[in-house]
Amino acid sequence: MAAQGVLWVGLLLLGVSGVPQTQAKDQDTLQPYFQPDKFLGPWYSVGLASNASWFLEKKNVMSMCKTTVAPSADGSLNLTSTFLRKNQCETRAMQLQPTERPGRYNYHSPHWGSIHSVSVVETNYDEYAVLYTQGTQGPHQDFRMASLYSRTKTLKDKLKEDFAAFCKSQGFTEDSIVFLPEPADKCINEPE
């Protein structure tokens, strides 16, 4: 149970929002001319979709988390997320290693012992970002997740609609898409 919580938090850290011009399935869909310096700063995880069974079981109890993206000296991105877990605020950190393609990163999952590919599919940097993650969980289990990030805790309906359409274009079903509520605590409202 705790391992699943750590996993979804790590994967939640990978998410961001937007609507790609083409499908992420083709592995070539990335934000054109991705600028990591504009991607830095605070984001809220506001939407998720996944094919993982643990996600479908937990999606109704998940809430929004705040993630801060900061640069690392080696060119990687450090993501630090604060979220509510068991009525307490927790913080987790992870590092996305850059690949040869701007906007594509690798994340080593300590839980699964596998590498996940994380792509920034689309972002306007000031309002939303969409991330697409794929890899494996356990022996030969395909894992996919789409994440919608927002600079604010509220989203325009059009962004929600576009994110849902993107998720469906990636093969996610309606019941695997969730928009996360703001937690009833101060975890994501605390100053940086």
Side-chain angles (χ1 to χ4, degrees), residues 130-149:
V130 172
L131 287 145
Y132 186 79
T133 303
Q134 58 186 23
T136 57
Q137 292 181 335
H140 313 293
Q141 289 183 333
D142 170 57
F143 169 79
R144 296 178 300 113
M145 178 174 270
S147 304
L148 175 61
Y149 279 4

Side-chain angles (χ1 to χ4, degrees), residues 53-66:
S53 59
W54 63 262
F55 174 82
L56 296 174
E57 293 169 10
K58 301 280 185 192
K59 71 177 187 167
N60 293 329
V61 297
M62 292 179 172
S63 61
M64 192 181 297
C65 79
K66 184 176 183 178

